[in-house]
Amino acid sequence: MTFVIPQPPQATVAVAGTPDRFPVRRIFCVGRNYAAHAREMGKDPDREAPFFFTKPGDAVVDSPCTVPYPPLTQDLHHEIELVIAIGRGGADIAPDAVMDHVWGAGVGIDLTRRDLQAEAKKMGRPWDWAKAFDLSAPMSPLVPLADVPSVDHGRIWLAVNGTVRQDADIADLIWPVRDHVAYLSQAMTLAPGDLIMTGTPAGVGAVVPGDVMTGGIDGIGKIEVTVGPRA
């Protein structure tokens, strides 16, 4: 096969403790999946089925890293999240079969241009401009499922310059992993290489150039991201 332009590089994420890489196909993100975060964003968590938005696969960047402050925003926010890596594809997956399709898990930060998101919401437009920009999905190395203690409970936290801002437990997910992955698979066929960012707890907030974000999930991993100068 001959390509008419140079073939783009394959987006990948590190695998913990090995030189191996996990190839990334798509990134799905669950919106408002912690009740306290839904409330801090002015929504009622008891009235919504899970909903999703996407980031491009090449938005991933390995932690530790420095991410430039992105253009077009004055309000860049952090959102710490559990990441689920799909190893076996499928459609209409039953909740009790979801873990048979999961390769592993990691920790990610959904970087968000909050002012652009607020404008999009006000005008009834998609969130892509706010969520799907370059390097907007820093991630820790992924851990194979056999080495993950649980995707159902464990502390999830994020600090900025050493001050904790987000601190919760993944047990607080409104739609747990098995449920929201099954729901997503009803809308489209999941495939090996898909990543699912499962939502963020309360405490999201702004970061500025020079800030250092650290965070993690018990038993799964830690992440460190420095905000660089404006792009």
Side-chain angles (χ1 to χ4, degrees), residues 2-87:
T2 301
F3 295 100
V4 297
I5 61 172
Q7 186 177 9
Q10 169 68 58
T12 64
V13 178
V15 175
T18 79
D20 297 336
R21 309 286 301 181
F22 182 91
V24 178
R25 185 169 183 262
R26 299 174 291 188
I27 303 174
F28 298 99
C29 306
V30 188
R32 294 195 290 265
N33 203 19
Y34 286 81
H37 175 58
R39 292 189 182 100
E40 78 177 347
M41 300 304 289
K43 301 297 180 180
D44 184 345
D46 300 322
R47 293 185 178 179
E48 294 185 348
F51 71 94
F52 299 82
F53 57 92
T54 61
K55 291 176 181 274
D58 62 4
V60 297
V61 55
D62 285 337
S63 166
C65 60
T66 297
V67 173
Y69 196 96
L72 301 181
T73 185
Q74 302 296 323
D75 195 20
L76 179 68
H77 278 213
H78 57 77
E79 300 190 9
I80 188 84
E81 313 209 2
L82 167 68
V83 177
I84 296 298
I86 299 298

Side-chain angles (χ1 to χ4, degrees), residues 27-218:
I27 303 174
F28 298 99
C29 306
V30 188
R32 294 195 290 265
N33 203 19
Y34 286 81
H37 175 58
R39 292 189 182 100
E40 78 177 347
M41 300 304 289
K43 301 297 180 180
D44 184 345
D46 300 322
R47 293 185 178 179
E48 294 185 348
F51 71 94
F52 299 82
F53 57 92
T54 61
K55 291 176 181 274
D58 62 4
V60 297
V61 55
D62 285 337
S63 166
C65 60
T66 297
V67 173
Y69 196 96
L72 301 181
T73 185
Q74 302 296 323
D75 195 20
L76 179 68
H77 278 213
H78 57 77
E79 300 190 9
I80 188 84
E81 313 209 2
L82 167 68
V83 177
I84 296 298
I86 299 298
R88 182 163 70 90
D92 294 316
I93 302 168
D96 61 2
V98 161
M99 300 315 292
D100 295 334
H101 294 258
V102 174
W103 183 89
V107 184
I109 298 177
D110 168 18
L111 291 174
T112 301
R113 297 191 281 202
R114 190 71 73 201
D115 45 359
L116 300 190
Q117 185 187 35
E119 181 181 4
K121 289 179 179 178
K122 182 179 178 181
M123 302 185 73
R125 293 176 176 175
W127 293 3
D128 302 58
W129 230 229
K131 294 284 192 176
F133 53 93
D134 296 340
L135 309 180
S136 61
M139 290 191 187
S140 74
L142 299 176
V143 178
L145 187 61
D147 298 328
V148 174
S150 176
V151 297
D152 298 315
H153 60 82
R155 183 190 181 215
I156 179 171
W157 61 277
L158 180 138
V160 177
N161 303 326
T163 299
V164 175
R165 291 189 179 179
Q166 295 183 265
D167 197 348
D169 195 291
I170 55 177
D172 298 333
L173 285 166
I174 297 171
W175 291 83
V177 169
R178 290 168 180 80
D179 291 343
H180 72 245
V181 174
Y183 189 92
L184 176 59
S185 76
Q186 295 173 17
M188 60 191 70
T189 300
L190 296 179
D194 287 340
L195 297 176
I196 302 169
M197 302 184 75
T198 63
T200 196
V204 300
V207 289
V208 298
D211 282 347
V212 179
M213 296 173 279
T214 53
I217 301 174
D218 287 353

